[in-house]
């Protein structure tokens, strides 16, 4: 090997470092014409790199979630004495994580929040369209906490509570399982709660047409009626262009309906423009039924989608909107 390395620099025509490395690798492996194999490997890498990127970028969100969890554990260790004397020991941690997520939303998506004045001072139930990931809701929650000092609890799917390491994060942010009694009780205490009636099914199997997939779900409407609070519709523009799913594959839909686990692959993580729009509240009406209120809420959310989202969604257009200042209705 040493002799081969010396031959790279010796002689009247010295070899380049790349040629030298190829020569050494060929001598070590005993493979003839190894440069042809290396050229093919480089070609495959060049072809497959964009594909690898679109599937790996969503992992950034996972890293951010676990970074948040790590910061919470550090915060907890540094504030163990305060915890014994204060009921608001996690306020600083919430502000810290809100700053982290709001910074990511600003830098990566140019995130904007519009219509926050439609959120009442008291309790209310925010109903939103579920994208492939809940990142847009996290950006909204962070911006709301920073700008208006309001905190919004959220109802999550049961599988979220089984994710490894997420318990502290969910506890600190008051994420709820979603029983009606728990939600009604929280609203009567003056909390602001958010829920996506479409849940995981809407997240995985809606598409660039932004179809609302609620089925016959009306429990959220009954919660609002029982708690006597308004419903506030919410939608995030381009949320399905940031991260998309392979939910159009029928076998994946059948598998989900059988095991109820979100095993559908996602891809993207594109830095598209995200704008969250808060619609006008739907006030409490004592004589309305849950079916009527659910239909009314769905119509209000559909109106937000039609007003603020160009359909079908387009990733390139959503990327270009990062450089625009006007919203769709303008």
């Amino acid at each position: 090997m040493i002799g081969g390395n010396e031959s790279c620099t010796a002689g009247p025509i010295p070899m380049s470092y790349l040629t030298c490395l190829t020569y050494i690798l060929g001598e070590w492996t005993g493979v003839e014409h190894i440069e042809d194999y290396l050229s093919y490997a480089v070609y495959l890498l060049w072809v497959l790199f964009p594909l690898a990127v679109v599937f790996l970028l969503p992992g950034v969100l996972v890293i951010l979630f676990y970074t948040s969890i790590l910061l919470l554990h550090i915060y907890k260790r540094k504030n163990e004495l305060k915890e014994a004397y204060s009921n608001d020991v996690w306020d600083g941690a919430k502000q810290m994580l809100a700053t982290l997520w709001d910074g990511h939303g600003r830098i990566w998506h140019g995130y904007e929040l519009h219509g926050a004045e439609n959120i009442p001072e008291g309790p209310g139930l925010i109903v939103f369209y579920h994208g492939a990931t809940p990142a847009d809701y996290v950006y909204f929650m962070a911006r709301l906490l920073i700008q208006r000092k309001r905190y919004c609890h959220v109802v999550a799917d049961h599988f979220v509570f089984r994710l490894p390491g997420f318990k502290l994060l969910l506890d600190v942010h008051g994420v709820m399982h979603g029983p009606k009694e728990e939600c009604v009780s929280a609203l009567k205490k003056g909390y602001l709660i958010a829920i996506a009636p479409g849940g995981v099914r809407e997240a995985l199997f809606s598409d660039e047409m932004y179809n609302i997939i609620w089925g016959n779900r009306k429990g959220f409407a009954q919660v609002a009626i029982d708690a006597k609070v308004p419903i506030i519709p919410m939608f995030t523009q381009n949320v399905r262009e940031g991260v998309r799913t392979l939910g159009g594959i029928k076998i994946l839909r059948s598998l989900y309906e059988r095991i109820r686990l979100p095993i559908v692959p996602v891809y993207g993580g594109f830095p598209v423009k995200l704008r969250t729009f808060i619609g006008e509240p739907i006030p409490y009406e004592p004589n309305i039924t849950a079916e009527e209120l659910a239909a009314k809420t769905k119509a209000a959310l559909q109106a937000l989608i039609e007003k603020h989202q160009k359909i079908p969604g387009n990733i390139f257009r959503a990327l270009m909107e990062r450089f625009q200042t006007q919203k769709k209705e303008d």
Side-chain angles (χ1 to χ4, degrees):
M1 181 64 67
I2 295 176
N5 190 28
E6 290 175 348
S7 65
C8 291
T9 57
I13 306 177
M15 298 183 185
S16 68
Y17 286 111
L18 183 58
T19 304
C20 180
L21 181 61
T22 303
Y23 175 80
I24 294 172
L25 192 58
E27 288 287 313
W28 180 55
T29 60
V31 177
E32 296 183 0
H33 306 294
I34 194 171
E35 62 275 6
D36 294 335
Y37 295 97
L38 291 176
S39 297
Y40 184 65
V42 171
Y43 172 75
L44 285 179
L45 181 63
W46 178 78
V47 170
L48 298 177
F49 180 74
L51 185 63
V53 167
V54 298
F55 280 99
L56 291 177
L57 273 178
V60 173
L61 296 176
V62 178
I63 293 172
L64 278 175
F65 276 117
Y66 278 102
T67 300
S68 300
I69 294 169
L70 176 61
L71 291 174
L72 285 178
H73 279 288
I74 295 172
Y75 185 90
K76 182 179 180 181
R77 296 292 295 178
K78 291 178 67 65
N79 290 273
E80 285 179 342
L81 290 177
K82 291 182 182 179
E83 189 173 7
Y85 302 100
S86 173
N87 294 325
D88 301 323
V89 66
W90 290 112
D91 283 354
K94 291 177 182 178
Q95 289 285 348
M96 174 181 64
L97 295 188
T99 302
L100 171 67
W101 281 93
D102 186 62
H104 183 268
R106 287 176 183 271
I107 294 170
W108 195 246
H109 293 292
Y111 180 76
E112 298 175 10
L113 175 60
H114 299 272
E117 64 277 4
N118 289 326
I119 299 176
E121 292 297 328
L125 184 64
I126 294 177
V127 176
F128 64 97
Y129 172 86
H130 204 313
T133 72
D136 64 306
Y137 168 76
V138 181
Y139 298 145
F140 156 74
M141 180 182 65
R143 185 67 59 86
L144 187 68
L145 183 60
I146 292 172
Q147 289 187 348
R148 301 192 58 189
K149 309 303 179 185
R150 289 292 306 276
Y151 189 76
C152 184
H153 297 262
V154 67
V155 178
D157 192 272
H158 293 293
F159 92 90
V160 175
F161 295 88
R162 298 197 293 268
L163 293 174
F166 266 59
K167 185 179 186 305
L168 180 61
L169 183 66
L170 301 177
D171 290 344
V172 168
H173 288 287
V175 180
M176 307 167 66
H177 283 279
K180 294 179 183 178
E181 298 76 15
E182 182 183 0
C183 293
V184 171
S185 176
L187 288 168
K188 287 183 175 180
K189 292 177 182 178
Y191 291 179
L192 187 65
I193 296 178
I195 185 172
V200 176
R201 187 177 286 106
E202 186 171 82
L204 298 180
F205 304 110
S206 187
D207 53 27
E208 64 273 14
M209 300 305 294
Y210 286 83
N211 301 309
I212 297 175
I213 305 176
W214 287 5
N216 295 319
R217 292 184 176 179
K218 55 182 182 293
F220 71 94
Q222 190 62 56
V223 165
I225 293 172
D226 292 344
K228 300 180 181 180
V229 299
I231 287 179
I232 306 101
M234 182 175 84
F235 170 72
T236 300
Q237 182 186 63
N238 295 325
V239 65
R240 297 213 76 90
E241 276 57 73
V243 177
R244 288 191 172 178
T245 75
L246 298 181
I249 302 176
K250 292 183 178 180
I251 190 172
L252 294 177
R253 178 67 179 267
S254 300
L255 189 59
Y256 170 77
E257 298 297 347
R258 181 180 297 272
I259 65 176
R260 295 300 178 92
L261 290 176
I263 59 173
V264 177
V266 300
Y267 66 96
F270 305 114
V272 301
K273 183 67 177 182
L274 292 184
R275 295 185 179 100
T276 293
F277 295 92
I278 311 296
E280 294 184 3
I282 302 172
Y284 164 70
E285 298 179 35
N287 298 322
I288 197 170
T289 66
E291 290 83 358
E292 292 170 338
L293 184 55
K296 197 172 182 178
T297 305
K298 186 175 182 179
L301 186 57
Q302 185 65 51
L304 280 180
I305 294 174
E306 292 175 359
K307 182 177 182 180
H308 299 292
Q309 182 64 52
K310 294 179 181 178
I311 296 176
N314 181 279
I315 294 174
F316 180 75
R317 182 177 63 230
L319 288 169
M320 291 299 99
E321 287 177 1
R322 290 293 301 273
F323 306 100
Q324 300 174 0
T325 58
Q326 294 182 331
K327 302 184 286 294
K328 182 196 170 196
E329 70 272 22
D330 296 334

